[in-house]
Amino acid sequence: MLPACQSIAMVCMRSAPRPAPHIFFAQHFGERKQVTLILLPAANIEQALRQGQIDLALLSAGFQVQAEQQGAIRKLFDDHQLYGDVNLASIVFSADYVGKNPETVKHFAGAVAKAVEWLRAPSREEAVAVYKQYLETHGQGTAVNGLQYWQGQSVATPGGALLNEDFARWVAWQQEPAPNPWT
């Protein structure tokens, strides 16, 4: 029997979170459940859940850890439980930009790959310390508090190289029309 879940809040409709509740219900209850997907700013989703305005909240890792620490909320699933080791994020350039700036794009891609590999090597504490120092050095000290919730990266391949299957899994979901978030 499916749980009584009617409304689910998320930050955006066209991303990995959109199919997440459907996959969870199918895996655990043998069917996809019809639910209303509601767009909310990330900072407001936990409050909406606690006030009973929604039944399920799809929170990013940092918001999820913070919500669990405050109690009275139980995690049903996370990205890794649903999808396994996958790349859940990508950075893209327009074809026009790549055509006009191939060396810049090559340098950027190499720097990102190097950063991804560096994040795999140190302990979480060391990575957070380096990022904290960077933020403070570059006048972004107000962002430091959020680092305590950083769980790691959503990159499964060496250097963050994207594979066809990273996109193939979402094709069917992306081809479905997004539901009206205000119903």
Side-chain angles (χ1 to χ4, degrees), residues 38-171:
I38 301 168
L39 292 178
L40 288 176
N44 299 101
I45 293 176
E46 179 188 349
Q47 179 182 4
L49 181 63
R50 291 189 185 279
Q51 292 177 345
Q53 297 169 336
I54 58 173
D55 299 314
L56 179 68
L58 297 179
L59 300 168
S60 64
F63 284 109
Q64 182 174 326
V65 170
Q66 185 177 10
E68 288 180 85
Q69 287 176 349
Q70 294 179 28
I73 288 180
R74 182 173 64 96
K75 178 174 80 171
L76 292 179
F77 58 85
D78 62 34
D79 291 339
H80 190 267
Q81 291 168 322
L82 289 182
Y83 309 125
D85 290 331
V86 298
N87 293 317
L88 290 176
S90 60
I91 301 170
V92 297
F93 290 98
S94 70
D96 184 54
Y97 186 87
V98 173
K100 292 177 182 174
N101 305 282
E103 290 304 310
T104 300
V105 172
K106 183 178 178 180
H107 178 76
F108 180 83
V112 169
K114 186 176 177 180
V116 164
E117 289 308 305
W118 183 86
L119 280 172
R120 292 177 193 270
S123 67
R124 178 193 176 280
E125 291 72 25
E126 184 182 354
V128 168
V130 168
Y131 193 32
K132 178 181 178 186
Q133 180 182 3
Y134 172 85
L135 291 171
E136 290 171 342
T137 301
H138 290 86
Q140 298 179 29
T142 56
V144 168
N145 283 343
L147 288 176
Q148 66 184 311
Y149 304 114
W150 184 71
Q151 301 296 304
Q153 56 184 346
S154 298
V155 182
T157 55
L162 296 172
L163 308 172
N164 286 339
E165 49 267 25
D166 291 325
F167 296 99
R169 76 181 73 248
W170 311 119
V171 170

